Amino acid sequence: VTLHLNPISSVHIHQKPLVFLLNSPLPLVWKLKTERLAPGIRRVFFVSLGSVVQFEKGNFSLSAETEEKVFAEKNEQLLQWAQKEYGAVTSFTELKISRNIYIKVGE
């Protein structure tokens, strides 16, 4: 699955930390394609067991962290964990089948 990350239109270059919970019932290869995300900013990708994140060429991967995690089975439990751990959830998407996911990051 390719994860496309771009800032919202009012943000020229996104310069804040990001955390993603990438959950799947089967192990996946998450391919990251990014535009206008500042280098050197902490970005964390939690993935379900057996899954990996592949970064594009460049220095984005130097400040990104990937960690395998056992996620809660129900979405409500996963959201509660994220809110407790990080204080807020700004976006949640559930898809049954997809090859591409487009996410706008920003305020």
Side-chain angles (χ1 to χ4, degrees):
V1 174
T2 302
L3 185 62
H4 302 264
L5 303 177
N6 302 305
I8 58 175
S9 60
S10 62
V11 174
H12 182 63
I13 296 179
H14 189 270
Q15 301 187 42
K16 293 185 178 180
L18 296 168
V19 176
F20 291 91
L21 309 179
L22 305 173
N23 190 15
S24 172
L26 298 173
L28 287 178
V29 175
W30 295 91
K31 297 178 182 179
L32 240 62
K33 293 200 180 258
T34 63
E35 289 183 31
R36 300 185 351 254
L37 299 185
I41 306 296
R42 184 172 185 244
R43 296 179 180 101
V44 180
F45 297 87
F46 289 104
V47 296
S48 45
L49 296 179
S51 294
V52 296
V53 178
Q54 289 181 348
F55 300 97
E56 293 178 292
K57 293 178 183 174
N59 59 3
F60 184 85
S61 63
L62 297 177
S63 58
E65 303 168 32
T66 302
E67 181 180 325
E68 285 187 57
K69 181 162 184 56
V70 176
F71 290 109
E73 287 187 33
K74 296 186 178 183
N75 289 335
E76 295 79 16
Q77 295 168 324
L78 184 59
L79 282 168
Q80 288 174 354
W81 175 83
Q83 288 172 329
K84 181 180 175 188
E85 191 73 19
Y86 294 99
V89 173
T90 57
S91 178
F92 177 87
T93 304
E94 179 182 15
L95 302 166
K96 297 293 181 195
I97 298 174
S98 182
R99 291 189 186 273
N100 291 282
I101 300 171
Y102 296 85
I103 297 178
K104 297 282 188 184
V105 296
E107 300 297 325

